[in-house]
Amino acid sequence: MSAETFFANVDKIRYEGPDSDNPLAFRWYDADRVVRDRTMAEHLRFGVCYWHSFAWDGSDIFGAGTLDRPWNPATASGAAAALEPMDAARLKMAAAFEFFEKLGAPFFSFHDIDIAPPGKTFAESARNLDEMIDVAAGHMERTGTNLLWGTTNAFSHPRFMAGAATNPDPAVFQYAAAQVARCLSATHRLGGANYVLWGGREGYETLLNTDMRRELDQLGRFLNMVVEHKHAIGFEGTLLIEPKPMEPTKHQYDYDVATVFAFLQRHGLENEIKVNIEVNHATLSGHDFHHEVATAVNAGVFGSIDANAGDDRLGWDLDRFPVSVEQMSLGMLEILRGGGFTTGGLMFDTKLRRQSIERDDLFHGHIGGMDVMARSLLVAASMIDELDARRDARYAGWGQRTDILEGNVTLQQLHDAQLTGTEPTGVSGRQEALENLVQRHIERAR
Ligand code: XUL
Ligand code: CO
């Protein structure tokens, strides 16, 4: 079964340069090209997600699945519909690794339920997961693909309708804890670089029935237990919370990076957990992507990125492949300012539009996304020194006033000095000139 080919029309995707017209080639992502201090592959650390690309059939809340996915029993378009769930899971995994290898993505990510079918009991689900982890280990070894992160789906099953860690029922808390313990261990076995916690339903629909203080304390205890487990099993990857303001709940507790950082500090977790910033979640929270990166870098909790995009006209999580070099260049600039990725990377938490029904569309989406991110890296690398010099010059006056921030002067002393001091005059912020500078680098960076 694993010898089957799902993407027979596509060979290994290669770099052909910006002048290529081949839609199945990279025009900007040249893995071994050195940009500043590292190769493009090392800067970008691309990952493909299992869920939207291999486990989703194209259904939405108004309609049934549309996608041609012969490995997915839900689509009934191929062999998988007649298979036992574990055999279907193996088929799906063969398709996924064929795709990772042909695309040349160094990493992938999964939820537990993406790769292993749920059993009738937790024990059976756990056995299924363990079995599929062994299968995944074989594919990883064979193809050289690595795991960027694993995560637990504690939001889809009806038991989680009122949350997982924040559920009013401790039995659900226990179930979620068991699931995270198992999936974190599985991630450890596969040498995962990170483990992500997205609080899909850790929020509320109405405050009329919600004890917010209690729920936040439950979440704090839950995450402390996850940290304890990480150390107990010797997992050396990074734990990441993925902020999102809403959807599916009306309000999600991990609203944005600043909210998550305050929560981490309150629960003594700020040195243990970082953030996985998703571009479309940033815009849903009313922030720019680059704002969220800068906030995380400043707080010392920058971890990883889910590289996708929303739509200005639609107020929900679209998970489109990134298409805007300007938007992504500003994000990449803040990533470079923060020193780049350590364990994190750019994970395509992206899904095709449901009319893009052919299997090969998965390649077009990812090739475009990788090229946009690679080009954005080039733009960011090309403009960072010029922008940083301008930014430093703007604050140059502080070089003479270290006494203030070092705490060697009082409010009264500043008052007394100002009585005889000169009146400050402003200097131009030069915003438009800087925006023109960004455009110049977008036009010229190659
Ligand atoms: C949901 C989302 C998730 C997380 C992992 O909006 O982004 O797929 O990335 O659970
Ligand atoms: Co995500």
mmCIF file of all heavy atoms in Angstrom, residues 83-91 115-117 127-129 131-132 135:
data_model
loop_
_atom_site.group_PDB
_atom_site.id
_atom_site.type_symbol
_atom_site.label_atom_id
_atom_site.label_comp_id
_atom_site.label_asym_id
_atom_site.label_seq_id
_atom_site.Cartn_x
_atom_site.Cartn_y
_atom_site.Cartn_z
ATOM 1 N N LEU A 83 -11.419 0.576 3.710
ATOM 2 C CA LEU A 83 -10.374 0.054 4.604
ATOM 3 C C LEU A 83 -10.758 0.131 6.070
ATOM 4 O O LEU A 83 -11.582 0.956 6.471
ATOM 5 C CB LEU A 83 -9.081 0.850 4.391
ATOM 6 C CG LEU A 83 -8.409 0.749 3.019
ATOM 7 C CD1 LEU A 83 -7.187 1.652 2.977
ATOM 8 C CD2 LEU A 83 -8.026 -0.698 2.725
ATOM 9 N N GLU A 84 -10.096 -0.691 6.871
ATOM 10 C CA GLU A 84 -10.162 -0.552 8.319
ATOM 11 C C GLU A 84 -9.513 0.783 8.686
ATOM 12 O O GLU A 84 -8.572 1.218 7.996
ATOM 13 C CB GLU A 84 -9.340 -1.668 8.985
ATOM 14 C CG GLU A 84 -9.945 -3.043 8.850
ATOM 15 C CD GLU A 84 -11.293 -3.115 9.552
ATOM 16 O OE1 GLU A 84 -11.404 -2.606 10.683
ATOM 17 O OE2 GLU A 84 -12.235 -3.655 8.937
ATOM 18 N N PRO A 85 -9.981 1.440 9.771
ATOM 19 C CA PRO A 85 -9.452 2.767 10.112
ATOM 20 C C PRO A 85 -7.921 2.827 10.211
ATOM 21 O O PRO A 85 -7.305 3.786 9.732
ATOM 22 C CB PRO A 85 -10.107 3.073 11.460
ATOM 23 C CG PRO A 85 -11.373 2.278 11.455
ATOM 24 C CD PRO A 85 -11.113 1.041 10.635
ATOM 25 N N MET A 86 -7.296 1.781 10.783
ATOM 26 C CA MET A 86 -5.834 1.836 10.913
ATOM 27 C C MET A 86 -5.144 1.705 9.552
ATOM 28 O O MET A 86 -4.116 2.326 9.302
ATOM 29 C CB MET A 86 -5.328 0.758 11.878
ATOM 30 C CG MET A 86 -5.555 1.090 13.336
ATOM 31 S SD MET A 86 -4.718 2.609 13.876
ATOM 32 C CE MET A 86 -3.034 2.015 14.039
ATOM 33 N N ASP A 87 -5.741 0.917 8.663
ATOM 34 C CA ASP A 87 -5.153 0.803 7.317
ATOM 35 C C ASP A 87 -5.332 2.115 6.558
ATOM 36 O O ASP A 87 -4.440 2.548 5.819
ATOM 37 C CB ASP A 87 -5.797 -0.359 6.552
ATOM 38 C CG ASP A 87 -5.316 -1.705 7.095
ATOM 39 O OD1 ASP A 87 -4.213 -1.743 7.679
ATOM 40 O OD2 ASP A 87 -6.057 -2.695 6.968
ATOM 41 N N ALA A 88 -6.487 2.754 6.753
ATOM 42 C CA ALA A 88 -6.707 4.053 6.114
ATOM 43 C C ALA A 88 -5.699 5.078 6.655
ATOM 44 O O ALA A 88 -5.183 5.912 5.907
ATOM 45 C CB ALA A 88 -8.131 4.529 6.368
ATOM 46 N N ALA A 89 -5.407 4.997 7.941
ATOM 47 C CA ALA A 89 -4.430 5.932 8.533
ATOM 48 C C ALA A 89 -3.038 5.712 7.932
ATOM 49 O O ALA A 89 -2.293 6.670 7.698
ATOM 50 C CB ALA A 89 -4.385 5.756 10.051
ATOM 51 N N ARG A 90 -2.693 4.469 7.666
ATOM 52 C CA ARG A 90 -1.391 4.178 7.039
ATOM 53 C C ARG A 90 -1.341 4.720 5.610
ATOM 54 O O ARG A 90 -0.325 5.252 5.165
ATOM 55 C CB ARG A 90 -1.124 2.673 7.033
ATOM 56 C CG ARG A 90 -0.668 2.167 8.373
ATOM 57 C CD ARG A 90 -0.143 0.730 8.312
ATOM 58 N NE ARG A 90 -0.189 0.175 9.645
ATOM 59 C CZ ARG A 90 -1.250 -0.439 10.183
ATOM 60 N NH1 ARG A 90 -2.339 -0.641 9.468
ATOM 61 N NH2 ARG A 90 -1.221 -0.856 11.417
ATOM 62 N N LEU A 91 -2.475 4.582 4.916
ATOM 63 C CA LEU A 91 -2.544 5.082 3.538
ATOM 64 C C LEU A 91 -2.381 6.610 3.525
ATOM 65 O O LEU A 91 -1.627 7.183 2.718
ATOM 66 C CB LEU A 91 -3.907 4.700 2.945
ATOM 67 C CG LEU A 91 -4.052 4.794 1.438
ATOM 68 C CD1 LEU A 91 -3.212 3.710 0.752
ATOM 69 C CD2 LEU A 91 -5.529 4.635 1.039
ATOM 70 N N ILE A 115 -3.390 11.710 12.766
ATOM 71 C CA ILE A 115 -2.586 10.586 12.285
ATOM 72 C C ILE A 115 -3.106 9.229 12.755
ATOM 73 O O ILE A 115 -2.763 8.222 12.155
ATOM 74 C CB ILE A 115 -1.089 10.737 12.654
ATOM 75 C CG1 ILE A 115 -0.865 10.741 14.155
ATOM 76 C CG2 ILE A 115 -0.491 11.974 12.027
ATOM 77 C CD1 ILE A 115 0.617 10.668 14.513
ATOM 78 N N ALA A 116 -3.904 9.226 13.826
ATOM 79 C CA ALA A 116 -4.392 7.934 14.339
ATOM 80 C C ALA A 116 -5.891 8.017 14.594
ATOM 81 O O ALA A 116 -6.369 8.966 15.209
ATOM 82 C CB ALA A 116 -3.662 7.581 15.633
ATOM 83 N N PRO A 117 -6.649 7.020 14.143
ATOM 84 C CA PRO A 117 -8.095 7.066 14.369
ATOM 85 C C PRO A 117 -8.422 6.897 15.854
ATOM 86 O O PRO A 117 -7.768 6.106 16.542
ATOM 87 C CB PRO A 117 -8.608 5.863 13.564
ATOM 88 C CG PRO A 117 -7.443 4.951 13.407
ATOM 89 C CD PRO A 117 -6.209 5.802 13.445
ATOM 90 N N ARG A 127 -3.341 3.346 22.035
ATOM 91 C CA ARG A 127 -2.635 2.271 21.311
ATOM 92 C C ARG A 127 -2.533 2.585 19.820
ATOM 93 O O ARG A 127 -1.498 2.374 19.193
ATOM 94 C CB ARG A 127 -3.363 0.928 21.516
ATOM 95 C CG ARG A 127 -3.022 0.234 22.822
ATOM 96 C CD ARG A 127 -3.456 -1.236 22.803
ATOM 97 N NE ARG A 127 -4.885 -1.419 22.553
ATOM 98 C CZ ARG A 127 -5.840 -1.346 23.489
ATOM 99 N NH1 ARG A 127 -5.517 -1.102 24.747
ATOM 100 N NH2 ARG A 127 -7.122 -1.526 23.182
ATOM 101 N N ASN A 128 -3.638 3.113 19.258
ATOM 102 C CA ASN A 128 -3.612 3.491 17.839
ATOM 103 C C ASN A 128 -2.538 4.546 17.577
ATOM 104 O O ASN A 128 -1.812 4.486 16.583
ATOM 105 C CB ASN A 128 -4.979 4.049 17.400
ATOM 106 C CG ASN A 128 -6.056 2.979 17.338
ATOM 107 O OD1 ASN A 128 -5.758 1.788 17.455
ATOM 108 N ND2 ASN A 128 -7.297 3.398 17.163
ATOM 109 N N LEU A 129 -2.466 5.511 18.490
ATOM 110 C CA LEU A 129 -1.472 6.580 18.311
ATOM 111 C C LEU A 129 -0.061 6.000 18.354
ATOM 112 O O LEU A 129 0.774 6.283 17.487
ATOM 113 C CB LEU A 129 -1.648 7.664 19.400
ATOM 114 C CG LEU A 129 -0.658 8.834 19.307
ATOM 115 C CD1 LEU A 129 -0.874 9.636 18.023
ATOM 116 C CD2 LEU A 129 -0.796 9.770 20.522
ATOM 117 N N GLU A 131 0.930 3.082 17.634
ATOM 118 C CA GLU A 131 1.215 2.305 16.427
ATOM 119 C C GLU A 131 1.540 3.227 15.252
ATOM 120 O O GLU A 131 2.489 2.986 14.492
ATOM 121 C CB GLU A 131 -0.013 1.438 16.106
ATOM 122 C CG GLU A 131 0.334 0.159 15.389
ATOM 123 C CD GLU A 131 -0.907 -0.723 15.223
ATOM 124 O OE1 GLU A 131 -1.635 -0.941 16.217
ATOM 125 O OE2 GLU A 131 -1.147 -1.180 14.085
ATOM 126 N N MET A 132 0.771 4.300 15.120
ATOM 127 C CA MET A 132 1.016 5.219 14.002
ATOM 128 C C MET A 132 2.306 6.018 14.201
ATOM 129 O O MET A 132 2.929 6.440 13.224
ATOM 130 C CB MET A 132 -0.181 6.165 13.810
ATOM 131 C CG MET A 132 -1.416 5.493 13.242
ATOM 132 S SD MET A 132 -1.119 4.456 11.768
ATOM 133 C CE MET A 132 -0.495 5.654 10.593
ATOM 134 N N VAL A 135 4.909 3.981 12.679
ATOM 135 C CA VAL A 135 4.862 4.095 11.214
ATOM 136 C C VAL A 135 5.486 5.425 10.785
ATOM 137 O O VAL A 135 6.288 5.493 9.841
ATOM 138 C CB VAL A 135 3.404 3.983 10.692
ATOM 139 C CG1 VAL A 135 3.362 4.072 9.169
ATOM 140 C CG2 VAL A 135 2.752 2.686 11.164
#
